[in-house]
Amino acid sequence: MKRYHTKGNIIFDSIIYVVMILVLLLCLMPFIYMLAVSLSDPNAIINNKVSFFPIGLNFEAYKQIFTYPNFFKAYGNTIFYTVGGTLISLIMTSLFAYPLSKTVLAGQKVAMKMVVFSMFFSGGLIPNYLLISNLGLTGTRFAMLLPFAINQFNLIILINFFKSIPTEIEEAALIDGLGYFKILGKIVVPLSKPALATIGLYTAVFFWNDWFNGLIYLNTSQFPVMLFLRNIVNGTSMIGDAAGSADKATIAISIKSAVIITSTLPIIILYPFLQKYFVKGLTVGSVKG
């Protein structure tokens, strides 16, 4: 589409760029500040000298975290929950979304209404706990994977994306003798990479950040790193018992900052690899109702 560089367009574009830069700075500044605090000397933190650059480079907070017993085991647990949970979620959501994308399917409208209803009204914490407990999942890693395999919001995005695929392609495949499972696996899923990448990112972020369900359903050895780091943050007042209260507070702030950086950096690194699919998957999946 040809764009005319009129005075009005230039002013409008300039305003948009300024707003975007301000929003970007608002998002980045807390993260940069936390990174600077985590890498700064304790004396600089006490004297409030740290702004957006580390003062007196110091890696002691990261050494404290990395030398905690079972830290890397907890990190491995989180990677397992994130990768396994995302794969299970993508498979289950695709298998559920494909039939619901067919408006000619008997009962499709009723099923959609049930999906939307359950999205707004859930059973609550205690019924969920009783259900998972009665299924025998408590104390197993499956308690983190199976109950959260299908998210209604992600399901609706994928249903709408499946609806955007031309039906002529599937009709041609049916004429060629393919069944619906093969059509889903060989045609629909490869054409739905943007939507699947978007849902995969949402799901990966959920499993990566989830610590509350681990606290309820898992044993200590199965804790994800988020729960492990949360316990570190809560226990920072115990660090440096021989030190004064000011030193302990400084160590606590430094470790909390290092925990935030350690826990968020991997998922931030993942985002650029999926960004090219993200906008297309989200917008195409949300246009149709």
Side-chain angles (χ1 to χ4, degrees):
M1 185 176 67
K2 188 175 180 180
R3 185 168 179 81
Y4 297 97
H5 294 282
T6 62
K7 186 178 179 181
N9 284 340
I10 293 173
I11 294 173
F12 183 73
D13 289 347
S14 301
I15 294 172
I16 290 177
Y17 281 123
V18 170
V19 171
M20 288 176 64
I21 291 171
L22 288 176
V23 172
L24 178 65
L25 290 175
L26 286 174
C27 294
L28 285 179
M29 283 169 64
F31 192 78
I32 294 172
Y33 176 72
M34 287 293 169
L35 181 63
V37 170
S38 69
L39 293 173
S40 295
D41 185 80
N43 291 327
I45 300 173
I46 292 174
N47 296 320
N48 292 323
K49 292 182 179 178
V50 182
S51 55
F52 298 109
F53 298 99
I55 306 295
L57 200 59
N58 181 13
F59 295 96
E60 191 59 34
Y62 291 94
K63 288 181 183 176
Q64 290 270 2
I65 295 174
F66 293 150
T67 54
Y68 269 95
N70 297 322
F71 172 77
F72 289 103
K73 184 178 181 180
Y75 231 104
N77 288 339
T78 291
I79 292 172
F80 174 77
Y81 297 138
T82 303
V83 175
T86 303
L87 287 176
I88 291 174
S89 177
L90 288 176
I91 293 171
M92 298 288 285
T93 306
S94 299
L95 291 174
F96 197 6
Y98 184 58
L100 288 183
S101 68
K102 307 300 176 190
T103 54
V104 295
L105 185 70
Q108 186 265 354
K109 290 184 178 179
V110 176
M112 279 300 301
K113 288 179 180 177
M114 292 175 67
V115 168
V116 174
F117 182 83
S118 63
M119 184 168 66
F120 292 106
F121 304 98
S122 65
L125 179 61
I126 294 176
N128 280 336
Y129 178 81
L130 293 175
L131 175 63
I132 293 173
S133 180
N134 288 332
L135 290 173
L137 297 177
T138 307
T140 70
R141 297 181 190 277
F142 290 107
M144 289 288 286
L145 304 178
L146 298 182
F148 313 101
I150 296 178
N151 176 278
Q152 296 93 332
F153 179 75
N154 295 340
L155 180 68
I156 291 173
I157 289 177
L158 197 56
I159 289 171
N160 289 329
F161 198 94
F162 284 168
K163 284 181 179 178
S164 70
I165 297 175
T167 55
E168 290 80 5
I169 297 176
E170 295 182 51
E171 290 172 357
L174 284 170
I175 293 172
D176 288 340
L178 289 182
Y180 283 105
F181 274 107
K182 288 188 176 180
I183 292 174
L184 175 64
K186 293 186 176 182
I187 297 175
V188 176
V189 169
L191 291 174
S192 305
K193 285 181 182 176
L196 293 173
T198 304
I199 293 172
L201 181 61
Y202 280 153
T203 310
V205 171
F206 167 78
F207 280 109
W208 186 269
N209 290 330
D210 186 23
W211 61 270
F212 184 69
N213 292 309
L215 178 66
I216 297 174
Y217 300 120
L218 297 181
N219 299 322
T220 307
S221 61
Q222 301 164 337
F223 278 179
V225 72
M226 284 298 176
L227 183 54
F228 191 83
L229 295 176
R230 170 187 170 275
N231 293 339
I232 291 177
V233 171
N234 287 342
T236 46
S237 61
M238 302 297 292
I239 298 172
D241 285 337
S245 58
D247 289 338
K248 284 194 290 186
T250 305
I251 293 171
I253 293 170
S254 184
I255 288 182
K256 285 176 183 177
S257 303
V259 164
I260 292 171
I261 299 298
T262 307
S263 58
T264 55
L265 195 60
I267 206 71
I268 291 175
I269 293 173
L270 176 66
Y271 180 76
F273 296 100
L274 300 176
Q275 194 272 338
K276 63 179 180 180
Y277 299 112
F278 191 77
V279 174
K280 184 180 178 182
L282 190 61
T283 53
V284 174
S286 61
V287 169
K288 295 183 178 180

